Amino acid sequence: MDFIRYLDPTVQFMLFSAVKIVLVFAVAMTGVAYAVLVERKVSAWIQDRVGPNRAAPFFVHYLPVVGPFLTKLGIFQPMADGLKFILKEDFTPSYVRKIYFWIAPAISCVPALMTLAVIPFGSTLGNANNPMVIADLNVGILYTFGIVSLGVYGIVLAGYASNSKYPFLGGIRSSAQMISYEIAMGMSVVSVFLVVGDLNLSKVVAYQSGGIHEWLIFKQPLAFFIFLVSAFAETNRLPFDLPESETELVGGYHTEYSSMKFALFFLGEYAAMIGASAMMVTLFLGGWTPIWGGAPASSLLVGLSHIVWFLAKLGFFMVLFIWVRWMLPRFRYDQLMNLGWRRFIPLALVNIIITAGLIALTHK
Amino acid sequence: MSTKVVDRTPLTFYERSYLPAILSGLKVTARHFLRSAKGHNTATDLSQGYYPEVPWTVAEGYRGAPYLVRDQEGHTKCVSCQLCEFICPPKAIKITPPGPEGIPSDRANAEKMPREFEINMLRCIFCGMCQEVCPEEAIFLQKDYSLTGTSREEMIYNKEKLLSLGGTHAGIQKWKHKLESAQHQEVFPVKTH
């Protein structure tokens, strides 16, 4: 690997970035696949069912104890799921608007993955010039909000292009819901950035380094709470899954979709969950910093441990997302709007004013 | 005035914040989750094996697939009255009656039996109306619940198949008794003055 040192810095940067992009993408995709498994298994256990416990490729037969145990946990289920999505018939109804129908899944999936680009998922690996973030933007949070709000287009387009009543209702609901909660979400993070004084997410993490007491969740609990609830709404998860609402809208915006196009919506939803969890970890739970200390990594091993810390915190939020889904019923539409506009937005505004006042009083 | 207005105690601010409901919900789901994960849940207990490998015991009185039955002497009990065909809610039963020149019943005194008796098991909802309505005790919901086939045609069970699946019924033999009583009447000593 010596030849890397003699390369042009620009080439080096491009090479490292490409490697990071591929790795983050791979981890995110695997995360999506296994989030689906966790979702199914957790829901099964919560509802006193068994969950996936059968899928097993041929080689499991030769593993004595580990094989059956892993099969029972459903570890091989995501492979079977993926294969099923690829092999299923991709059916396009005759009455849809074809172009929009085809691009809608991509539009809902791509923004969810793009938000991961600005998330610092580790300190450094190897040397100090190799930060574990794909794009260390100075306007990281603005980029995230800009990209996340594009996600609603995919759902609205899917609802419109399907040319059918249930997807249409789902699309309408999602546009109202996502736009409303984006405001609450955006306002809740304003107070965070008032405290930190920088929009760069790496700086936000650096501000929180030094141990668990430095984390912004303890300095801005209200902002965290509003952000958490808004994240549920933004990712269309229960109790805010009105765009989907299986019980009343069949499948909501993806009713008419099948096979890989449906899988893209599915993937987009879980990628959005990962993105939202990553944002919460970065903004409120100190990103990659361990619960003690938090200086940038001095060695490869420490660098890897920081990534593990990040993934562990991410996993915590993913489990929370899944757990809450199987516990809360769906909000009624008016309750949803009431909560967003008349509770969270004023609360976030009050939080901003109080934070700004405190900073003005204490700042020299 | 039969209506009684009950005053609801207004929810406190804490209750209206959804938080107590959310917390108790998390507690309940966590309890179920942990119980299942530890394997203490009887519903998720794998030690006895699972359904396709270990079939469940069908309870007495279970309403499975309807089949035709024969009487103790191996005769078809059905007399092609078509009551089951008329009552069948999903229209799964189709009976072809023998017609005026058709084959007579395979037993004495019964007028006729169906030329063909078909139940479309894809339509059948196992409701038991046919069994309820049958005046001949000829059709019974039995214990089969998992019917499979590779084509739609295969799932239409004909008379032969239904009779062979149904087996023998040990109930009353209405037409045998009718015949006996008729024969009895013939030998009955009638006084003639």
Side-chain angles (χ1 to χ4, degrees):
Chain A
M1 297 294 277
D2 245 10
F3 73 97
I4 293 173
R5 265 171 232 189
Y6 304 116
L7 287 175
D8 200 48
T10 323
V11 180
Q12 261 189 31
F13 174 75
M14 283 168 68
L15 199 68
F16 279 131
S17 292
V19 169
K20 279 186 282 191
I21 288 169
V22 169
L23 280 181
V24 167
F25 185 73
V27 170
M29 287 296 104
T30 321
V32 166
Y34 279 90
V36 175
L37 172 72
V38 171
E39 174 104 59
R40 292 176 65 180
K41 207 69 189 175
V42 166
S43 73
W45 282 349
I46 284 176
Q47 298 169 349
D48 294 349
R49 291 183 288 111
V50 185
N53 67 344
R54 273 170 196 274
F58 66 95
F59 59 81
V60 176
H61 185 68
Y62 302 106
L63 299 170
V65 183
V66 188
F69 178 71
L70 291 181
T71 309
K72 211 172 118 183
L73 281 180
I75 295 294
F76 308 106
Q77 189 68 35
M79 300 178 205
D81 286 350
L83 203 66
K84 184 199 77 175
F85 274 129
I86 292 167
L87 294 178
K88 261 192 164 176
E89 183 191 357
D90 193 356
F91 183 75
T92 308
S94 58
Y95 46 79
V96 300
R97 294 176 176 83
K98 290 244 164 37
I99 295 174
Y100 301 129
F101 189 80
W102 275 70
I103 60 174
I107 291 181
S108 81
C109 174
V110 168
L113 287 169
M114 276 168 73
T115 51
L116 295 175
V118 289
I119 306 288
F121 53 88
S123 51
T124 53
L125 211 59
N127 64 40
N129 299 325
N130 190 16
M132 284 294 105
V133 50
I134 293 173
D136 201 11
L137 292 184
N138 282 328
V139 289
I141 191 70
L142 293 183
Y143 165 85
T144 316
F145 276 98
I147 294 295
V148 162
S149 51
L150 287 179
V152 70
Y153 285 109
I155 292 174
V156 172
L157 262 186
Y160 166 71
S162 292
N163 196 6
S164 148
K165 55 185 174 245
Y166 296 124
F168 182 67
L169 285 171
I172 288 178
R173 284 181 181 189
S174 102
S175 56
Q177 171 185 329
M178 290 178 85
I179 290 166
S180 310
Y181 276 83
E182 225 152 67
I183 298 171
M185 199 184 214
M187 284 186 170
S188 73
V189 289
V190 168
S191 52
V192 170
F193 291 107
L194 279 174
V195 173
V196 177
D198 205 308
L199 287 178
N200 188 321
L201 289 175
S202 302
K203 298 274 168 57
V204 176
V205 174
Y207 176 86
Q208 297 178 79
S209 67
I212 191 166
H213 56 281
E214 294 285 340
W215 292 359
L216 278 164
I217 181 174
F218 302 114
K219 293 182 179 171
Q220 287 290 338
L222 192 61
F224 170 72
F225 181 70
I226 295 169
F227 194 93
L228 179 72
V229 177
S230 305
F232 276 92
E234 282 292 298
T235 52
N236 297 325
R237 296 285 297 183
L238 267 167
F240 304 110
D241 73 333
L242 284 109
E244 266 184 68
S245 45
E246 305 90 345
T247 40
E248 57 211 67
L249 296 185
V250 191
Y253 57 91
H254 58 57
T255 304
E256 308 288 346
Y257 283 88
S258 56
S259 181
M260 214 53 206
K261 289 211 226 36
F262 169 74
L264 276 179
F265 277 122
F266 213 64
L267 199 150
E269 186 189 324
Y270 281 87
M273 272 166 71
I274 291 179
S277 303
M279 280 304 293
M280 281 189 280
V281 170
T282 310
L283 290 175
F284 297 102
L285 247 59
W288 46 261
T289 59
I291 49 173
W292 66 90
S298 47
S299 68
L300 199 67
L301 210 65
V302 179
L304 282 175
S305 81
H306 286 163
I307 295 177
V308 171
W309 269 108
F310 179 81
L311 289 177
K313 290 175 189 172
L314 190 94
F316 165 75
F317 276 113
M318 292 301 284
V319 170
L320 186 71
F321 266 110
I322 288 165
W323 186 7
V324 167
R325 173 171 178 189
W326 300 104
M327 178 199 76
L328 279 178
R330 187 176 305 125
F331 275 106
R332 221 168 46 217
Y333 194 63
D334 61 319
Q335 290 173 328
L336 172 96
M337 284 297 154
N338 192 23
L339 201 65
W341 287 99
R342 291 179 51 203
R343 301 280 186 279
F344 284 148
I345 293 176
L347 260 182
L349 279 172
V350 167
N351 195 29
I352 292 172
I353 291 166
I354 291 175
T355 313
L358 282 177
I359 290 171
L361 285 177
T362 54
H363 204 263
K364 283 134 211 123
Chain B
M1 266 305 280
S2 59
T3 323
K4 191 181 170 196
V5 181
V6 180
D7 285 330
R8 283 195 184 190
T9 40
L11 296 175
T12 61
F13 177 75
Y14 178 53
E15 281 168 337
R16 271 187 291 137
S17 71
Y18 301 112
L19 285 174
I22 289 172
L23 290 177
S24 60
L26 286 173
K27 220 163 70 187
V28 169
T29 44
R31 194 176 64 225
H32 278 262
F33 176 84
L34 291 175
R35 202 173 60 187
S36 300
K38 280 187 211 150
H40 292 173
N41 195 335
T42 46
T44 52
D45 180 19
L46 275 165
S47 58
Q48 297 299 312
Y50 257 97
Y51 163 63
E53 291 88 26
V54 184
W56 56 295
T57 339
V58 182
E60 249 348 284
Y62 181 79
R63 298 201 293 202
Y67 294 142
L68 291 177
V69 291
R70 293 179 189 276
D71 67 8
Q72 291 95 319
E73 281 143 22
H75 303 308
T76 312
K77 289 193 87 176
C78 178
V79 294
S80 189
C81 71
Q82 292 178 294
L83 280 175
C84 53
E85 184 177 1
F86 296 141
I87 199 141
C88 184
K91 294 184 169 32
I93 299 177
K94 189 181 160 201
I95 298 172
T96 316
E101 294 90 37
I103 40 163
S105 174
D106 57 1
R107 61 193 161 150
N109 246 32
E111 226 169 73
K112 50 182 183 173
M113 68 174 186
R115 189 205 305 256
E116 188 50 278
F117 191 111
E118 286 173 338
I119 302 182
N120 187 343
M121 291 300 179
L122 293 172
R123 297 196 71 117
C124 179
I125 56 171
F126 300 180
C127 64
M129 297 283 240
C130 46
Q131 174 183 340
E132 203 73 33
V133 82
C134 184
E136 300 291 330
E137 298 189 339
I139 187 164
F140 282 92
L141 262 62
Q142 305 205 350
K143 288 186 174 178
D144 286 7
Y145 53 87
S146 173
L147 308 174
T148 49
T150 50
S151 66
R152 285 170 193 274
E153 290 71 39
E154 206 179 308
M155 293 310 288
I156 301 174
Y157 286 20
N158 61 12
K159 185 173 126 185
E160 196 189 345
K161 191 167 180 183
L162 289 169
L163 280 169
S164 69
L165 285 167
T168 305
H169 181 239
I172 56 155
Q173 289 173 279
K174 184 173 163 188
W175 297 106
K176 189 182 165 195
H177 298 318
K178 292 247 181 201
L179 179 66
E180 277 165 4
S181 65
Q183 282 164 351
H184 190 59
Q185 266 182 5
E186 273 167 32
V187 298
F188 194 76
V190 182
K191 279 183 194 165
T192 46
H193 294 285

